[in-house]
Amino acid sequence: MRSRSVAGYRLGSVEIALVGAVALAGIAVARSHALWRDRFQVVCPAWAVLGVPCPTCGATRAVVAVMQGELSVALAWNPLAALLGVGAVISVPFVALVLGGRMTAPRVPTSLGTVSRTAIIAVFVANWLYLLRYFGG
Amino acid sequence: MDDGGEDVVPVDIERPEGLRVGVPWERPTPGMSFAGLVQTTRLLLFTPTDAFGLMRVNGTMTAPLVYLVVLGTVGTFFGLLWQSWARAMLGSVAGGNLQTLAVANSYGVMSFVIAPFVILLMAVVATAVHHLFLLLLGGAPRPPDVTMRVVCYAWGASYVWMLIPACGGLVATVWGAAMTIAGLRQAQGVPGGRAAAAVVVPYLIALCGLLALWTVMATTMLDSLP
């Protein structure tokens, strides 16, 4: 099998710490949902006006559901956002391990291969198609 | 595993500084002072291509992060001040009472207190999104911290427009996006079209989110009226 070099950069400790801070902030906001849910009941304008959901429709509800341990509900609202929510929870211990020097920082590539790019775009489009079916009906 | 089922051997790339001497805020003189702040902001707002051509692409992140937090906090203060003023004007026209105005303003004070943290976290999210789109659109030759530097300086300088009442937020958003495009092109060394797409496409996707936010703000403001 042929080896190929892939250029990339390791994330620095400041960047890792900031990623951890974003994850913790997201978790804290979602966990405090009970405090603001009555005040911020918002219908997506694209859905209200055009009858078409935007790619982020249901994302807030999905992340909040993840933080409340209701994974199936979260996946129903917005599968991609639900996975991001799960990722935020999982990332916290990894950030702690990297900052504590027990694990090397992840590497960010300088470019993505065609397969990787296509896969990411396909996941995004599939998620939107699901939302069109879920909210469109 | 990446494309083609080949073994991937990651390598680190050297981060060349080249002839980038830094924007005034990053240099020893004037450095992180009021003069440095003014010179850097003027440079970024009116000659962004030159500014991002000078910006350092390695070293510590202290200068860009402090620049963003300082100007972001000042800009947020003025943005909230104009909001409060508009709320008071609307209240006086519609006969609002002081209690509802005080409650609305207390939310403003809380927003100001948490503004530095929120600005910082939003910049991290924006960096991740712009960098991901650069990768999706053909690659980002330099590391994510260069994208973060661009976001910090572009957003920081554009917060100055928040000093303008009423339309400051809109001007800041558009100006910030334009500066981010110029910055990504200069600092990441990518074509202008790729830089523009990496900034504009997420904005279009996020448009619904922004509209929702504006709906919330308008509803909150109307709720505070009698």
Side-chain angles (χ1 to χ4, degrees):
Chain A
M1 196 178 280
R2 186 165 54 92
S3 290
R4 185 168 58 93
S5 292
V6 172
Y9 297 97
R10 283 205 186 283
L11 290 176
S13 55
V14 173
E15 292 145 294
I16 293 286
L18 287 170
V19 168
V22 169
L24 282 174
I27 292 167
V29 170
R31 291 287 294 176
S32 65
H33 179 239
L35 298 175
W36 48 267
R37 67 180 166 197
D38 294 332
R39 191 169 182 83
F40 297 101
Q41 284 291 340
V42 184
V43 175
C44 171
W47 190 27
V49 175
L50 305 171
V52 177
C54 75
T56 58
C57 263
T60 308
R61 293 176 183 87
V63 174
V64 168
V66 167
M67 299 311 161
Q68 292 172 346
E70 298 172 341
L71 196 58
S72 58
V73 174
L75 288 167
W77 274 116
N78 188 319
L80 194 55
L83 292 177
L84 281 176
V86 172
V89 174
I90 292 173
S91 71
V92 174
F94 281 102
V95 166
L97 287 171
V98 171
L99 291 178
R102 293 172 179 271
M103 186 184 263
T104 52
R107 190 183 296 270
V108 177
T110 56
S111 64
L112 293 174
T114 310
V115 173
S116 307
R117 272 190 280 173
T118 309
I120 291 170
I121 293 168
V123 165
F124 188 80
V125 171
N127 188 65
W128 198 4
L129 288 174
Y130 166 81
L131 294 175
L132 286 169
R133 182 163 174 76
Y134 187 80
F135 290 101
Chain B
M1 195 174 74
D2 204 30
D3 307 352
E6 299 158 330
D7 283 344
V8 172
V9 183
V11 291
D12 283 319
I13 290 177
E14 194 186 346
R15 303 178 182 193
E17 172 124 14
L19 295 172
R20 291 174 174 274
V21 293
V23 291
W25 182 257
E26 297 172 323
R27 294 178 204 159
T29 310
M32 289 164 63
S33 61
F34 184 72
L37 192 75
V38 172
Q39 287 176 28
T40 303
T41 305
R42 195 186 300 151
L43 196 65
L44 284 161
L45 287 177
F46 303 113
T47 51
T49 307
D50 294 344
F52 287 111
L54 290 170
M55 186 193 77
R56 285 192 182 147
V57 292
N58 59 13
T60 65
M61 290 290 293
T62 310
L65 289 174
V66 170
Y67 182 83
L68 172 68
V69 170
V70 168
L71 284 184
T73 307
V74 171
T76 303
F77 172 78
F78 278 94
L80 291 168
L81 191 69
W82 305 138
Q83 268 184 34
S84 175
W85 176 75
R87 208 176 285 129
M89 292 296 286
L90 280 170
S92 66
V93 169
N97 61 50
L98 274 176
Q99 193 183 355
T100 51
L101 190 64
V103 170
N105 282 345
S106 67
Y107 280 111
V109 172
M110 282 195 295
S111 303
F112 177 68
V113 170
I114 62 168
F117 306 103
V118 174
I119 290 163
L120 204 55
L121 298 182
M122 291 298 288
V124 176
V125 173
T127 300
V129 171
H130 292 324
H131 203 80
L132 175 66
F133 272 82
L134 282 178
L135 291 174
L136 286 174
L137 295 164
R142 289 199 166 114
D145 66 71
V146 174
T147 307
M148 177 122 206
R149 286 166 199 271
V150 169
V151 168
C152 286
Y153 283 119
W155 283 26
S158 65
Y159 266 110
V160 169
W161 297 119
M162 296 290 280
L163 271 64
I164 303 171
C167 63
L170 185 64
V171 175
T173 305
V174 174
W175 209 282
M179 280 200 296
T180 309
I181 293 169
L184 289 179
R185 192 164 64 92
Q186 282 293 317
Q188 283 287 359
V190 296
R194 191 190 303 171
V199 173
V200 173
V201 173
Y203 268 98
L204 291 177
I205 293 171
L207 193 61
C208 286
L210 285 173
L211 284 171
L213 190 64
W214 288 334
T215 310
V216 169
M217 288 167 67
T219 310
T220 310
M221 191 179 282
L222 288 173
D223 281 349
S224 68
L225 297 176

